[in-house]
Amino acid sequence: MTATRRDELTRPIVAWLAASLLMVVLLHARQQPLWVCGGFLALVLWRILHAWRGVPLPTRDHRMLWLLKHALAIGIFWVVYRRYGGVIGRDAGISLLVLLIGLKLLEMKSRREFVLIALLGFFLLVTAFFYSQSMPVALYALACVTALLGSLVAMAQPGRARSVGANLRLAGTLMLQAAPLMLIAFVLFPRPGSPLWSLPKDARRAISGLSEEMSPGELTRLTMSDAVAFRVAFSTNRPSAAEMYWRGPVLVKTDGRTWTPGDPSDRSAPAITAQGVRYSYSITLEPTNRPWIYALEHPSTVPRGTRLSRDLRVLSARPITDRIRYSAESYTQAWVAEADSEELRAALQLPPGAYPRTRALARQWRLEDRTDEGVVRRALQYFRNEPFVYTLSPAQIYGDPVDGFLFGARQGFCEHYASAFAVLMRAARVPARIVTGYQGGEYNPVGDYYIVRQRDAHAWVEVWLGHRGWVRVDPTAAVAPARVQRGIDQALPGLGATVGGTAADLAVDLAGWRELRYAYDALNNRWNHWVISYNARRQSAMFDDLGLSADWRALSLLLGAGLLLAGALLVAWSLRGRRAHGDAIARAYRRFCAKLARRGHPRAPYEGPMDYARRVSASLPAAAADITRITGLYARARYGQTSSAADAQALRSAVRRFAP
Amino acid sequence: MTILSSPNLLNDKTILDTVIATTGEVVVGKQHEIKLAFTCLLARGHLLIEDLPGVGKTTLAHVLARVLGLSFQRVQFTSDLLPADILGVSVYEKETGRFSFHPGPIFAQLVLADEVNRATPRTQSALLEAMEEHQVTVEGRTHTLPVPFFVVATQNPSHQIGTFPLPESQLDRFLMRIELGYPDVSAERTLLKGRDRREMVAEIEPILQPKALFEMQQRVSEIHVSDALIDYLQELLNHSRRAPGFLAGLSPRAGLSLRSAAQAWALLAGRSHVMPEDVQAVLPAVVGHRLRVRDLAHAAAPEDIAARLLREVAIP
């Protein structure tokens, strides 16, 4: 019953669509469960087998298969519902979309359905950006778009068996032609300050990064992650690695095991006496879902939209859900001279009854040394002299975590040292708090910036030394100086391998490879900066720089004008391309026709020059001689054996003088 | 406006005008079809005339032969006609004791294959092979056909009973397919008042010798085809292949046929180069039997298909 229709969907066309859809689904394979991709593959295979082997499709003619199709459709909904507890939401929606597109393939009988499925393919492609907007994904998506366009091109010309390359070339040309429009729309499309629609709830997964809590093992877990926390570009001199403390949450309260922030205070930042070297830099922060951003110690100027808290954290009004870029300034040393009694009392709090041995040791130091500085020195001395080991995999500590660490295991990572040190200080009546954040960073010479990764996470301590204010003390530096001076990779050489080292990590010695990785990261950084982070704020900033206002009305106008201009350019370009085909002769003849058209005698596109001349001459007898002469000249110049420049010249001047 | 470039062409045109005029005296009111028939001949193609009996198909073929001074044979195709009846047979001769080849009616410069669709496909294909190869192979021996060699086949509309319509692949072997149709009123009047056509045919003196015709055919292939015209031809071919309305596009052979026919038409007009108008003039006859429209419910006459193709393609 569908003889002609089947003709439309020839094997190459079906293969095109199947291949491009598989490409798109491959992009989802990382996030979607295996059965979704497997199911899709099976459905595509079915369609392919139909095209090549004549395996029947589930049409009404095959009752059982037809029933099977409906059962499958219901089954898909059921399984998705069972798996996700609903059919709404990002993951569930995409699973559903993938499988139903597969089913739709089996129903495809006509060009219309083919086009529909191809468009669904485009939609499915877009949903991949829920998961990642990185450059490789974008490039791959571009390839998918080309393939889908290629399918449409193949379908549009069923009679012509064009090679795969020819189809792709045409698709590529189409994309190139669309590129200016895309650019204009990207730059000018009015961007809402907040998303127009809210993403499905599951769109924002937990992101690994520092939290506002610290318990033993917390940072150790982070060191397993190669993920980038942020990138920093200095516009001034760069500080040395040992100075690069990136300040994050400040933890004051402890229950003996876990550290949490102090009571929130809405009082403004304390007066700071800045000293030392000023560093000015900009940070591109990956999304954290946390309402604070990171800055070099000690921040003095913070970006717009954030404020400096009393404990020198940079707080943002809303959680950082998208990659942002901000500029800040910091001084290597700062003197925070004020602290009220409440703040200091909180910095002395210890859970009652915990760590008896630690308290005893601290009390002993206190008795031996009157000054706070002396106690700090003694504590650092203690860490340096006793056989403490800086390690990622400390022995399990039973019982009291601090006592067990200081007097038992003596193996730990920065959080163990920081919390033990803070407890020691508090026990000796020296106010102390823990600061978490990142330390160090990897310099990328290609892009001239530092990459700070999750595994650079660090914890250190600040103690209150009356006249000197809050002073940073890093007990980890006492145990493993290399950690601070040369970075975590140097301090723990086996790290790359222990974190399930990729080939990349093992091969870091290859200079060329390292170079390549830096170049790639630099490229990624640009991509993030110019493409991903181009939001409403950046858009308006850009237009401010150009001296234009960027409210949505102006943007819409500009967008309209830009699109119009691009459209006009495209038309002009295509006309020029056509004109390049013809030459001066064709141009002159077109002018001749245009003159006659103005007299009400346009030439039909398919009308031959001699027929046209005959027809028009009959209507315009006065001009008949001229028309005949010009047409003769044109015929000889364009179709004759010997057409010379003189002919073209004669034709041109005749047409110029021609006035019907 | 007609550009005459060489004395030869001028001469050819004069001769051809006379030839056409003479033919027109016998086959009245069919000026365009006569021109097409000569065009076909000049382009070294074979002609298929499709129409009802009695509209002058046979007369036209006969006149063509007479005017051009070609040897003429007529074969009436019937359902019991065998290939040997057309091609010839080898006969054992008692006197010499050897087989000798007795050529069939196909060994003539102009062969009229009358009602070709009445014969069985086997016989049809024997004819069509000879048309294509310009030679005949009987019992292992190859015999060359005379030069020029021109077949005019006539065909009744295929819906008549007892016919074997030529398959599309065979139709492609004919350069042109024309229809004669009923004469208009004045032509019919002339016909009715005039003398017996057979007598008139017999009285016709050859205007051209086969050798001169051969040279003219030679000149047709030298008629200039400019790049601009090739562009136009390609547009036409591509459109027939790309546009959704046509079931199958024109073959490269159809393209070559179109070019040769347009060249011949240009010669007929005394022009040294081909104009788009030449292509348009011959296109219906050249492509009418090669194109099929997709929409069979609105099956159009071949002329309409051609007209549609012409209308849809702009001259570049």
Side-chain angles (χ1 to χ4, degrees):
Chain A
M1 84 184 170
T2 53
T4 51
R5 286 174 155 192
R6 202 170 298 133
D7 288 349
E8 288 179 351
L9 300 175
T10 56
R11 284 178 193 172
I13 295 177
V14 172
W16 262 103
L17 186 62
S20 34
L21 285 178
L22 280 175
M23 275 177 76
V24 176
V25 170
L26 196 64
L27 195 53
H28 284 286
R30 269 194 317 175
Q31 292 87 18
Q32 288 292 318
L34 199 62
W35 55 268
V36 169
C37 301
F40 181 78
L41 194 65
L43 292 168
V44 169
L45 261 180
W46 188 346
R47 179 72 210 202
I48 293 284
L49 283 177
H50 166 74
W52 263 263
R53 291 284 155 79
V55 171
L57 286 179
T59 54
R60 271 166 200 281
D61 305 346
H62 303 275
R63 198 93 201 144
M64 289 313 292
L65 291 178
W66 188 70
L67 286 174
L68 174 68
K69 180 181 79 180
H70 286 77
L72 273 178
I74 295 166
I76 286 169
F77 272 93
W78 186 75
V79 171
V80 169
Y81 188 86
R82 285 299 299 268
R83 158 88 195 222
Y84 299 102
V87 291
I88 315 261
R90 180 185 59 169
D91 292 344
I94 292 171
S95 295
L96 214 54
L97 190 61
V98 167
L99 289 171
L100 292 183
I101 287 176
L103 262 192
K104 186 74 197 163
L105 263 182
L106 299 182
E107 279 191 346
M108 181 174 72
K109 281 195 300 256
S110 65
R111 286 157 158 254
R112 198 185 66 78
E113 282 152 323
F114 182 97
V115 173
L116 178 79
I117 294 175
L119 293 182
L120 283 173
F122 283 115
F123 183 74
L124 185 62
L125 187 58
V126 171
T127 60
F129 289 120
F130 278 142
Y131 298 96
S132 167
Q133 301 171 8
S134 71
M135 201 171 40
V137 167
L139 283 177
Y140 184 78
L142 210 61
C144 290
V145 169
T146 314
L148 282 166
L149 272 180
S151 312
L152 289 173
V153 167
M155 199 271 311
Q157 308 184 316
R160 300 218 289 175
R162 295 158 56 104
S163 69
V164 172
N167 277 342
L168 285 180
R169 260 198 303 284
L170 184 51
T173 311
L174 288 173
M175 300 219 335
L176 277 184
Q177 285 169 342
L181 294 178
M182 184 202 74
L183 266 180
I184 288 171
F186 177 79
V187 175
L188 293 180
F189 195 86
R191 279 152 197 273
S194 55
L196 283 177
W197 57 86
S198 60
L199 285 172
K201 280 211 178 61
D202 54 355
R204 302 211 179 279
R205 284 226 177 102
I207 300 170
S208 77
L210 281 180
S211 67
E212 262 185 322
E213 271 184 17
M214 190 187 82
S215 41
E218 184 91 25
L219 297 187
T220 321
R221 192 176 45 73
L222 274 184
T223 54
M224 301 294 164
S225 169
D226 234 0
V228 173
F230 50 87
R231 296 182 175 85
V232 193
F234 286 94
S235 52
T236 54
N237 288 336
R238 306 191 301 257
S240 69
E243 283 176 315
M244 276 201 265
Y245 280 85
W246 307 101
R247 195 177 178 90
V250 177
L251 311 175
V252 178
K253 286 187 190 166
T254 178
D255 63 355
R257 181 176 180 83
T258 304
W259 289 80
T260 48
D263 294 321
S265 156
D266 51 1
R267 277 183 297 167
S268 59
I272 304 167
T273 312
Q275 288 173 336
V277 191
R278 184 180 69 91
Y279 293 109
S280 177
Y281 52 90
S282 67
I283 289 185
T284 311
L285 180 64
E286 300 293 313
T288 58
N289 277 355
R290 315 272 184 196
W292 66 81
I293 61 179
Y294 294 89
L296 189 67
E297 289 201 323
H298 305 85
S300 59
T301 311
V302 297
R304 215 168 37 167
T306 63
R307 66 184 182 88
L308 207 53
S309 74
R310 208 162 159 73
D311 49 10
L312 288 187
R313 290 195 290 152
V314 190
L315 299 176
S316 138
R318 277 182 295 135
I320 309 301
T321 52
D322 294 297
R323 186 181 290 107
I324 57 162
R325 186 186 172 95
Y326 53 87
S327 303
E329 285 183 2
S330 299
Y331 288 87
T332 45
Q333 284 162 14
W335 186 22
V336 183
E338 64 173 88
D340 55 31
S341 54
E342 194 185 326
E343 210 178 326
L344 292 180
R345 202 166 45 246
L348 285 171
Q349 172 257 340
L350 282 175
Y355 5 93
R357 293 185 66 187
T358 310
R359 285 179 194 230
L361 179 65
R363 266 198 301 276
Q364 187 195 331
W365 288 343
R366 182 87 265 182
L367 287 174
E368 290 168 12
D369 213 316
R370 291 264 131 211
T371 61
D372 291 350
E373 280 96 335
V375 173
V376 170
R377 221 172 8 250
R378 271 176 180 272
L380 289 176
Q381 203 77 34
Y382 182 75
F383 280 125
R384 218 170 281 136
N385 294 343
E386 298 298 317
F388 280 98
V389 178
Y390 178 63
T391 173
L392 266 181
S393 40
Q396 186 76 39
I397 296 169
Y398 299 99
D400 191 297
V402 177
D403 276 5
F405 168 68
L406 278 179
F407 306 104
R410 293 192 167 175
Q411 295 178 357
F413 195 54
C414 55
E415 70 255 41
H416 298 98
Y417 290 99
S419 59
F421 189 83
V423 168
L424 278 170
M425 287 303 113
R426 286 182 178 190
R429 306 301 297 165
V430 179
R433 62 192 186 191
I434 289 180
V435 183
T436 57
Y438 299 87
Q439 204 283 322
E442 186 183 3
Y443 181 61
N444 182 339
V446 179
D448 187 26
Y449 58 82
Y450 283 88
I451 309 166
V452 178
R453 299 176 190 279
Q454 294 299 350
R455 61 181 151 93
D456 294 319
H458 194 50
W460 59 94
V461 178
E462 277 179 343
V463 291
W464 176 262
L465 300 175
H467 57 288
R468 285 173 60 194
W470 288 106
V471 173
R472 180 177 70 215
V473 181
D474 190 348
T476 309
V479 178
R483 164 67 187 92
V484 172
Q485 281 153 18
R486 296 206 299 275
I488 190 158
D489 289 340
Q490 299 295 321
L492 295 166
L495 187 59
T498 53
V499 295
T502 54
D505 289 321
L506 296 173
V508 282
D509 288 345
L510 297 170
W513 176 250
R514 182 174 276 250
E515 193 78 351
L516 213 64
R517 279 179 65 204
Y518 283 139
Y520 177 69
D521 192 80
L523 206 63
N524 244 329
N525 192 30
R526 294 246 165 85
W527 167 261
N528 290 339
H529 179 54
W530 288 108
V531 180
I532 306 296
S533 320
Y534 186 75
N535 52 18
R537 206 167 46 78
R538 290 270 311 281
Q539 191 177 36
S540 74
M542 196 185 85
F543 282 91
D544 285 346
D545 287 350
L546 294 174
L548 297 166
S549 78
D551 65 339
W552 67 268
R553 243 172 272 117
L555 281 177
S556 308
L557 270 177
L558 267 175
L559 178 65
L563 289 180
L564 241 122
L565 184 71
L569 282 178
L570 272 181
V571 168
W573 182 71
S574 73
L575 281 183
R576 194 198 61 82
R578 193 171 298 168
R579 203 165 287 164
H581 254 289
D583 42 7
I585 297 163
R587 210 156 48 237
Y589 184 66
R590 263 199 299 276
R591 203 169 151 204
F592 165 72
C593 294
K595 282 186 173 183
L596 285 173
R598 277 199 289 277
R599 287 293 310 268
H601 299 285
R603 184 175 80 92
Y606 54 84
E607 201 170 20
M610 299 194 313
D611 287 345
Y612 180 52
R614 210 169 295 130
R615 182 167 67 85
V616 180
S617 294
S619 317
L620 301 171
D626 279 343
I627 293 171
T628 308
R629 200 170 65 83
I630 288 172
T631 305
L633 277 171
Y634 169 65
R636 194 169 63 198
R638 188 158 167 79
Y639 295 102
Q641 194 155 17
T642 52
S643 69
S644 62
D647 284 343
Q649 186 53 46
L651 177 66
R652 260 207 305 277
S653 61
V655 170
R656 201 164 34 240
R657 283 195 304 273
F658 178 64
Chain B
M1 161 167 61
T2 313
I3 303 123
L4 306 168
S5 57
S6 77
N8 259 345
L9 286 177
L10 194 58
N11 198 23
D12 287 347
K13 182 173 161 50
T14 320
I15 295 169
L16 287 169
D17 281 348
T18 319
V19 166
I20 289 164
T22 311
T23 313
E25 282 167 23
V26 185
V27 184
V28 286
K30 296 285 161 212
Q31 188 77 6
H32 188 67
E33 286 75 9
I34 293 168
K35 275 179 83 176
L36 282 175
F38 279 106
T39 303
C40 187
L41 212 159
L42 288 171
R44 302 182 212 211
H46 304 288
L47 180 67
L48 178 67
I49 308 177
E50 197 171 87
D51 222 319
L52 298 164
V55 291
K57 296 183 296 239
T58 314
T59 315
L60 175 61
H62 221 140
V63 179
L64 285 179
R66 293 288 304 176
V67 169
L68 300 173
L70 302 174
S71 62
F72 178 77
Q73 285 280 2
R74 172 180 174 169
V75 188
Q76 176 64 48
F77 277 50
T78 54
S79 55
D80 54 357
L81 193 77
L82 294 174
D85 297 333
I86 309 172
L87 306 180
V89 284
S90 289
V91 177
Y92 181 74
E93 288 185 359
K94 258 197 200 126
E95 295 83 27
T96 57
R98 283 163 45 190
F99 282 95
S100 72
F101 180 66
H102 287 235
I106 199 154
F107 286 85
Q109 287 165 322
L110 196 156
V111 179
L112 172 63
D114 226 348
E115 297 188 90
V116 72
N117 57 341
R118 289 215 179 276
T120 54
R122 187 159 158 246
T123 311
Q124 285 174 357
S125 64
L127 171 76
L128 291 158
E129 269 172 49
M131 280 163 52
E132 186 76 6
E133 309 294 333
H134 282 234
Q135 62 185 26
V136 167
T137 305
V138 176
E139 281 159 23
R141 292 198 50 190
T142 302
H143 308 275
T144 314
L145 292 170
V147 178
F149 175 67
F150 183 48
V151 172
V152 177
T154 74
Q155 180 167 265
N156 293 331
S158 48
H159 50 74
Q160 287 199 344
I161 300 164
T163 57
F164 299 93
L166 291 174
E168 273 165 46
S169 59
Q170 307 272 34
L171 280 174
D172 204 28
R173 309 255 170 109
F174 290 97
L175 180 77
M176 284 188 185
R177 172 199 162 285
I178 60 174
E179 285 171 16
L180 286 178
Y182 300 119
D184 59 23
V185 181
S186 69
E188 186 124 47
R189 199 171 178 81
T190 317
L191 198 63
L192 292 169
K193 283 168 80 175
R195 294 189 297 140
D196 179 33
R197 297 289 128 180
R198 244 167 302 168
E199 260 176 52
M200 287 175 71
V201 171
E203 283 170 13
I204 291 175
E205 290 295 320
I207 300 170
L208 215 58
Q209 295 306 311
K211 186 167 173 293
L213 178 65
F214 181 74
E215 284 167 7
M216 242 185 236
Q217 286 179 334
Q218 208 64 37
R219 277 196 288 281
V220 162
S221 57
E222 287 159 14
I223 298 280
H224 180 65
V225 182
S226 66
D227 283 345
L229 197 98
I230 299 275
D231 287 345
Y232 182 45
L233 286 174
Q234 280 195 308
E235 291 282 320
L236 287 166
L237 295 177
N238 279 339
H239 185 77
S240 77
R241 292 166 194 170
R242 219 180 320 163
F246 300 104
L247 202 55
L250 291 170
S251 63
R253 171 155 51 184
L256 287 171
S257 303
L258 196 55
R259 191 204 62 190
S260 316
Q263 283 175 308
W265 190 269
L267 181 83
L268 235 56
R271 219 178 300 113
S272 64
H273 56 260
V274 183
M275 291 290 292
E277 281 88 343
D278 300 324
V279 177
Q280 294 179 342
V282 298
L283 184 124
V286 175
V287 307
H289 55 299
R290 306 177 207 245
L291 268 185
R292 291 281 171 280
V293 282
R294 183 175 293 276
D295 197 358
L296 285 178
H298 302 93
E303 290 74 21
D304 295 342
I305 302 175
R308 190 172 128 194
L309 179 60
L310 285 179
R311 217 173 35 244
E312 286 173 358
V313 178
I315 297 172

